[in-house]
Structure formats: C-alpha cells, structure tokens
C-alpha cells in the first residue's frame, strides 16, 4: 500500500459478500471430496449426500469463526468425521438399531471398476481385489477405517490425517499399519 | 511419489521389491505388489462410484437452504384438493341419506294409510254385522199372546 493513501474502511456488507464468495469457492472446490470420503465411509449414497449437506451447512454457520489455522479441507473433513460419528452414535441409541441401513453390500460396491482395465480377466481380478479391500475395511474399527480412507482414498499426508483426526502422528501410523495389515491378510486369503 | 509408493514408511509395509523371495520378517513381496495394485484399484473404484453418484444425484452447489415454500405450497394445494373432494363426497352422502329418509317416510305414510283404510273397512263390516244381527220380535207372538189370554 502506498504511503499516504487513504485506507477506506471495509463496510460490513462488503465483508459479508467477500466471505460468501469465499465460502462458495470452498464448497465448489471441496464438496466432491467430502462426498467421496463419506461415501467410502458409509457405502450409502443417500447418507453420504445428507451428511455432505449437513457438513457444509455447519461449515456455513461457522464460517466466520474459521480462522484459517488449518486448511479449509482439513477443517471440513474434521466436521464431516464428527457428523459421521454423531450419526452412528444416534443411530446406535435408537431402539431399531438392528434395522438395515441403505449401505450397499460388498459385491455391489465392488462393481465400480477402474475404467483402465481392458480384458475380462483383468476386470475380474480388479473386482476381486476391490471386494477384498472392502471386506477388510468393513472389519476395521471406526478410527482405523477413517485413517485408512483418508490415506488411501483421499491421499492425505500423515500429518494432515493427524490434524484432521486429532490424533498424534504416531497413533495415526499405528492405526494405518493395523488397517493395512488387515487388508493384506484379506488379500492373502483371496489368493 | 504416490502414496502407494510410500508404503515403506510403515513398519508393516516395508518390503524390498527387488527381492522376490520371502522376506526375513515373513512378508511376501508378491503380496505387497498385489496389495499395491489392490489399493490402487480400490481408490479408482471409489472414485468412479463417487463421481457417478455425485453427478447423477446433482448435489446443489450452493450452501443448503431451507426451502420451505414449495413444501408449503404442496401442503396447501393438497389441503384444498382434500377439502373440496371431501365436500363433494359429504354432499353426495347427505343427499343419499335424505333420499333414504324420504323413501322411508313415504313408505311409512303409505303403511299408515293402508292401516287406516283397513280399520275403516273393519268398522264398517262390524256395524253392518251388528245391524243385520239385531233381534226382532217374532211375527206370531201377538197371536200366541191372545191364545194364552183366551184360555185363561
């Protein structure tokens, strides 16, 4: 800023507009990732969609209090994980806890194949691998699953995962190691 | 370097891929390649699923708003339709009930008229009977009285 220039005070309307624009950009940028993470966590498209909407609603309400200490993605992911935890906790408290969720089964989830596989044999092998990984993920604890998905689906660094989950990096490593071990065992069974 | 290539940062995932033999810790390098491929396919599969679900579901891009107006309009519309339908049904029902009542009333009136007529006919017959059956003095009685008197 040039010396002597008059700094015009930013009025509240302008500040609100800037904040709204910024939030809108954050939504556009991060919404697919949040949805993907929640979809992988729940295997339920409707639930993932609902939780994604709730996540951004909550973020919108608290946008003014977001100080930018962490990245917006880290902040949003933390909200998404908390919402997911709340959802399962509330669900467990309900008396119809045994009722089925809308989660798709492993076979259905494994139907989504990477488009790169060309031959039928490759497709079959890829499908089998994906099914085994899903099976292993299903058997993980909530924390292990979260860490595993953040690492291998969202491709987050360990330090970021630690920040998102509120765990130490060592604990994240330990959870990840156990989760990978489970996947390895499951793949070993399928061989 | 991709995340899958960083497996060696975890104690469980360390493997020497140049060596195809089983590692001293019992780890199978072939399985680690298998693991890498599986994790890669898993990610690609989730990406494909998520993209498909995201694009078909069309999650609104703006912050969610409480859009109550369409719901209120629908509720109001439904209430109006329901009230008009129930009004028509009620009117029809009332008409049917009234027609039934009128019919019952007519039948009752006809029955009463028939009963009254029957009673009148019975009375008439009874009076005729009583008139016909009235006792009259015997025509020979005066003569018999006279004969009796003479004999005395």
């Amino acid at each position: 800023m040039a010396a002597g220039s008059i700094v015009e005070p930013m009025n509240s309307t302008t500040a609100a507009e800037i904040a709204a624009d910024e939030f809108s950009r954050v939504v556009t940028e991060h919404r697919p990732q949040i949805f993907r993470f929640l979809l992988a966590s729940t295997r339920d498209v409707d639930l993932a969609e609902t939780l994604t909407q709730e996540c951004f609603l909550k973020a919108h309400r608290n946008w003014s209090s977001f100080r930018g200490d962490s990245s917006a993605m880290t902040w949003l992911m933390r909200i998404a994980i908390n919402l997911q935890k709340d959802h399962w906790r509330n669900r467990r408290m309900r008396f119809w806890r045994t009722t089925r969720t809308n989660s798709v089964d492993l076979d259905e989830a494994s139907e989504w194949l990477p488009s790169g596989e060309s031959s039928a044999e490759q497709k079959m092998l890829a499908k089998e691998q994906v099914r085994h990984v899903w099976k292993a993920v299903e058997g993980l604890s909530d924390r292990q699953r979260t860490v595993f998905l953040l690492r291998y689906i969202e491709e987050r660094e360990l330090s970021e995962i630690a920040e998102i989950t509120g765990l130490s990096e060592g604990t994240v490593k330990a959870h990840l190691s156990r989760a990978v071990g489970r996947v390895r065992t499951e793949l070993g069974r399928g061989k | 370097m991709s995340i899958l290539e960083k497996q060696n940062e975890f104690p469980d995932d360390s493997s020497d891929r140049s060596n195809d033999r089983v590692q001293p810790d019992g780890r199978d390098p072939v399985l680690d390649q298998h693991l890498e491929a599986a994790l890669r396919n898993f990610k690609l599969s989730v990406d494909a699923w998520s993209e498909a679900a995201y694009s078909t579901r069309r999650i609104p891009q703006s912050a969610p708003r409480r859009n109550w107006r369409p719901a209120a309009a629908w509720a109001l519309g439904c209430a109006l339709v329901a009230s008009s339908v129930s009004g028509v049904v009620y009117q029809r029902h009332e008409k049917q009930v009234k027609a039934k009542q009128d019919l019952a009333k007519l039948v009752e009136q006809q029955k009463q008229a028939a009963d009254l007529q029957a009673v009148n006919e019975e009375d008439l017959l009874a009076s005729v009977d009583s008139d016909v059956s009235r006792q009259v003095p015997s025509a020979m009685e005066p003569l018999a009285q006279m004969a009796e008197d003479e004999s005395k």
Side-chain angles (χ1 to χ4, degrees), chain B residues 68-141:
Chain B
W68 55 270
R69 283 186 186 183
W74 266 100
L76 192 64
C78 288
L80 279 172
V81 168
S83 62
S84 59
V85 167
S86 61
V88 169
V89 169
Y90 180 73
Q91 277 182 349
R92 200 173 164 185
H93 177 71
E94 279 291 297
K95 272 185 189 173
Q96 282 179 344
V97 168
K98 200 162 182 262
K100 274 183 188 172
Q101 282 174 347
D102 288 348
L103 188 65
K105 212 171 172 180
L106 191 65
V107 167
E108 185 66 25
Q109 280 175 352
Q110 281 178 349
K111 197 180 166 191
Q112 278 177 358
D115 287 349
L116 191 65
Q117 197 177 358
V119 167
N120 287 343
E121 282 176 2
E122 275 176 18
D123 287 348
L124 185 63
L125 278 173
S127 68
V128 167
D129 282 349
S130 66
D131 287 348
V132 170
S133 63
R134 189 184 296 160
Q135 279 191 343
V136 291
S138 172
M140 297 305 288
E141 198 174 347

Side-chain angles (χ1 to χ4, degrees), chain A residues 11 20-21 25 38 44-45 50 63-64 75-76 80 82 84 87 91 96 120 136 167 169 173-174 179 183-184 186:
Chain A
N11 63 34
D21 283 350
R25 189 183 50 78
L38 288 167
D44 182 337
V45 177
T50 306
W63 184 238
S64 57
W75 184 62
L76 289 169
N82 285 334
Q84 192 198 342
H87 171 80
R91 194 179 168 79
W96 57 79
L167 302 169
E169 231 177 284
K173 269 188 188 177
V183 175
R184 195 196 305 276
E186 190 56 46

Side-chain angles (χ1 to χ4, degrees), chain A residues 91-105:
Chain A
R91 194 179 168 79
R92 268 197 286 274
M93 282 169 73
R94 288 181 200 161
F95 70 94
W96 57 79
R97 66 171 89 174
T98 52
T99 53
R100 283 191 60 189
T101 62
N102 292 327
S103 304
V104 300
D105 61 17

